[in-house]
Amino acid sequence: MQKTLNSIDPFNGEVIGNVDVCDEDSIQTLVKQAKQAQLSWAKQSIQQRVHLVQQAYKNLQPIQATLAKLISREMGKDARRATYEAGGAIHSGPWLAEDSADALRSQRTGNNEIQYRALGVVAVISPWNYPLAMANNLLVPALIAGNSVILKPSEETPLVADLLIKTLNQSLPTGVLQIAHGDGRTGEALVKANINMIAFTGSRATGQTIMANAAANLKRLIMELGGNDPMVVLASADIPRAAQFAVASSFENAGQMCTSTERIYVDERIADQFEHAVVAIAKNYRVGGWPDTDVDIGPLVNARQHKKVVRHIQDALEKGATLLLGDKSPKLPFIPPTVISTIKPGMQLEDEETFGPVVAMDRFSTIEEVIHRANDSIYGLGAVVFGKDDALLVANQLQAGMIGINQGAGGTPWVGAKQSGFGFHGGAEGHRQFAQLTVINH
């Protein structure tokens, strides 16, 4: 009997719809079809592949509003942000296809011809927090490189992924782009199958499992594995601007963002002023469900994530942190705007990725102290420094793949240091990760 996966609205608990789960036998069938389709797909010119992918993305334009609503209903994102994500994915897809093609065309250097050949079958395992954007950023360069793709979306957001793939496939050859629904067992079966590459965005723990399961056949890996991003606020910082960023970065997407600011260290000389500014800004953030167009912070994706954030808040308060704004025991499905000061090492808010709408702060007295504390983490995705000329000095000593000075961290390529990443994507260097570099001497 075919198992089904229900999609549940985190705002009201309503079952929105369901999809069929891929078991191990179904995975084998998908992989067989993907291998067969990939042979002819790779034989097409790179510009032909670009044309077909761009045509496929045109099919998405009439359903942008439907995709946005599904994002809101499946993971709780407010309507404004869901609309932005859907529109961004639809309009960036054609550009990303051309940008990938530019990076993957053969090059000549002296007697060497450098070619970027298809790897084969690529599994894209995408997260729930940006269900269109994150899948989009991986599957497009994989396709342009001549690979076939099997997308395994998060079990939290199956409907939006299903509609995405079905609509794109109106213009793509059969078997080139497929979807496998299910939980971690489906993902594990896909990773262990006879594929060539896994491109994954998700938790460090899942990334470790994927790496272990991929090791037997030395499958290629691109993995973004979360972060615990620090923000350093120097005495020279523009305090209103830094406070605005601190709140916005901590609360964006209800804090469920891989480069969300997770811990903030403020020079003790400006800390009182900074904290007051943060609280004043945070009080203006509005909480509610996706039907409300004035909402800033929606519900967390599920009860498990809500429980984790509450646990982190309570752990910090039990260990001596101070609650400046918020609720010690917020009820499902929301976490109200929360501001906590005097966090310390040993608190979950400091040591782990919280992934919720919490501004967590402490003070520092010396540059050496704050650099040590910012770097004292197994993670290294992003980091931010606010200040004047001295900001670059600090930024150059931070251990992160992406560092922003007086702005957010991010860009192309999208890369994490330490245990926040393995490989990278985005930009010419990232697009080439989806191909086999081959050198021909002639």
Side-chain angles (χ1 to χ4, degrees):
M1 183 177 178
Q2 182 75 55
K3 293 183 179 179
T4 58
L5 171 67
N6 289 334
S7 177
I8 299 173
D9 186 333
F11 175 49
N12 55 25
E14 177 187 349
V15 175
I16 310 164
N18 58 67
V19 294
D20 291 335
V21 170
C22 271
D23 57 19
E24 190 170 345
D25 289 339
S26 300
I27 292 292
Q28 299 305 322
T29 300
L30 290 180
V31 171
K32 183 178 179 180
Q33 293 171 344
K35 282 188 172 295
Q36 187 62 38
Q38 191 271 330
L39 296 175
S40 55
W41 179 246
K43 289 178 181 178
Q44 297 197 40
S45 72
I46 197 165
Q47 203 54 49
Q48 286 175 318
R49 294 196 293 268
V50 169
H51 172 74
L52 287 170
V53 169
Q54 289 180 334
Q55 182 57 51
Y57 271 80
K58 288 181 181 177
N59 300 335
L60 297 173
Q61 293 175 5
I63 62 166
Q64 178 176 331
T66 303
L67 288 168
K69 187 173 181 180
L70 277 175
I71 292 172
S72 289
R73 296 198 68 192
E74 287 202 289
M75 60 81 53
K77 189 172 297 188
D78 64 85
R80 176 164 52 90
R81 288 174 173 82
T83 298
Y84 178 79
E85 180 182 348
I90 290 169
H91 292 100
S92 68
W95 172 86
L96 187 56
E98 195 65 64
D99 194 55
S100 299
D102 289 343
L104 293 164
R105 288 188 175 91
S106 296
Q107 302 173 34
R108 188 85 185 180
T109 57
N111 293 327
N112 293 338
E113 181 184 355
I114 299 175
Q115 298 179 354
Y116 299 96
R117 298 181 178 181
L119 290 168
V121 179
V122 175
V124 172
I125 304 178
S126 60
W128 48 262
N129 58 333
Y130 290 90
L132 283 187
M134 298 307 295
N136 192 60
N137 291 341
L138 299 174
L139 67 87
V140 172
L143 289 171
I144 299 302
N147 305 297
S148 55
V149 172
I150 299 173
L151 172 66
K152 192 281 175 191
S154 168
E155 58 269 38
E156 302 292 344
T157 52
L159 299 183
V160 68
D162 204 64
L163 181 57
L164 169 71
I165 300 306
K166 285 178 178 176
T167 307
L168 291 174
N169 275 333
Q170 293 171 11
S171 294
L172 295 175
T174 301
V176 166
L177 178 60
Q178 301 179 88
I179 192 165
H181 288 295
D183 57 16
R185 287 166 293 186
T186 299
E188 183 176 0
L190 180 57
V191 168
K192 290 181 175 179
N194 186 22
I195 62 174
N196 304 93
M197 181 181 197
I198 302 106
F200 168 72
T201 304
S203 72
R204 171 179 168 270
T206 301
Q208 288 177 309
T209 301
I210 288 173
M211 198 170 189
N213 288 331
N217 302 108
L218 295 176
K219 292 165 185 170
R220 302 292 183 88
L221 295 173
I222 296 175
M223 300 196 294
E224 183 206 310
L225 304 176
N228 188 13
D229 289 13
M231 175 182 178
V232 177
V233 185
L234 301 172
S236 61
D238 179 329
I239 293 176
R241 183 179 174 191
Q244 184 66 53
F245 176 86
V247 176
S249 179
S250 299
F251 290 173
E252 179 62 30
N253 200 25
Q256 300 168 130
M257 182 173 69
C258 53
T259 53
S260 174
T261 295
E262 294 274 338
R263 48 202 172 103
I264 303 171
Y265 306 117
V266 188
D267 190 297
E268 61 187 7
R269 290 170 288 181
I270 62 166
D272 285 341
Q273 188 179 351
F274 182 82
E275 289 177 4
H276 291 152
V278 163
V279 171
I281 295 167
K283 284 180 178 178
N284 293 323
Y285 274 68
R286 295 152 298 185
V287 176
W290 61 266
D292 187 344
T293 56
D294 293 328
V295 161
D296 298 304
I297 300 176
L300 268 65
V301 67
N302 55 35
R304 184 176 64 256
Q305 181 61 25
H306 186 275
K307 183 178 180 180
K308 174 187 174 184
V309 176
V310 172
R311 185 174 70 246
H312 281 203
I313 293 170
Q314 293 178 345
D315 171 78
L317 298 180
E318 289 167 3
K319 293 175 179 176
T322 302
L323 184 68
L324 301 180
L325 180 70
D327 188 339
K328 295 180 180 179
S329 301
K331 301 294 186 287
L332 279 168
F334 301 107
I335 300 288
T338 302
V339 180
I340 294 177
S341 66
T342 58
I343 63 166
K344 301 295 180 187
M347 297 178 181
Q348 291 171 324
L349 272 182
E350 168 130 1
D351 297 344
E352 302 176 20
E353 183 179 39
T354 299
F355 231 54
V358 180
V359 179
M361 302 180 287
D362 198 24
R363 305 178 178 199
F364 70 88
S365 57
T366 68
I367 294 297
E368 293 76 17
E369 171 197 349
V370 75
I371 290 171
H372 169 76
R373 199 159 164 194
N375 289 337
D376 189 20
S377 173
I378 60 173
Y379 295 105
L381 187 58
V384 169
V385 184
F386 271 74
K388 293 182 180 175
D389 294 342
D390 50 350
L392 182 59
L393 173 68
V394 174
N396 283 334
Q397 298 178 72
L398 295 180
Q399 298 168 357
M402 301 175 290
I403 301 170
I405 297 178
N406 297 318
Q407 61 184 317
T412 53
W414 188 270
V415 57
K418 297 194 280 190
Q419 296 185 37
S420 282
F422 190 94
F424 53 89
H425 62 87
E429 297 89 346
H431 299 333
R432 291 168 184 156
Q433 298 277 303
F434 291 91
Q436 172 62 53
L437 189 150
T438 303
V439 180
I440 298 181
N441 299 316
H442 65 95

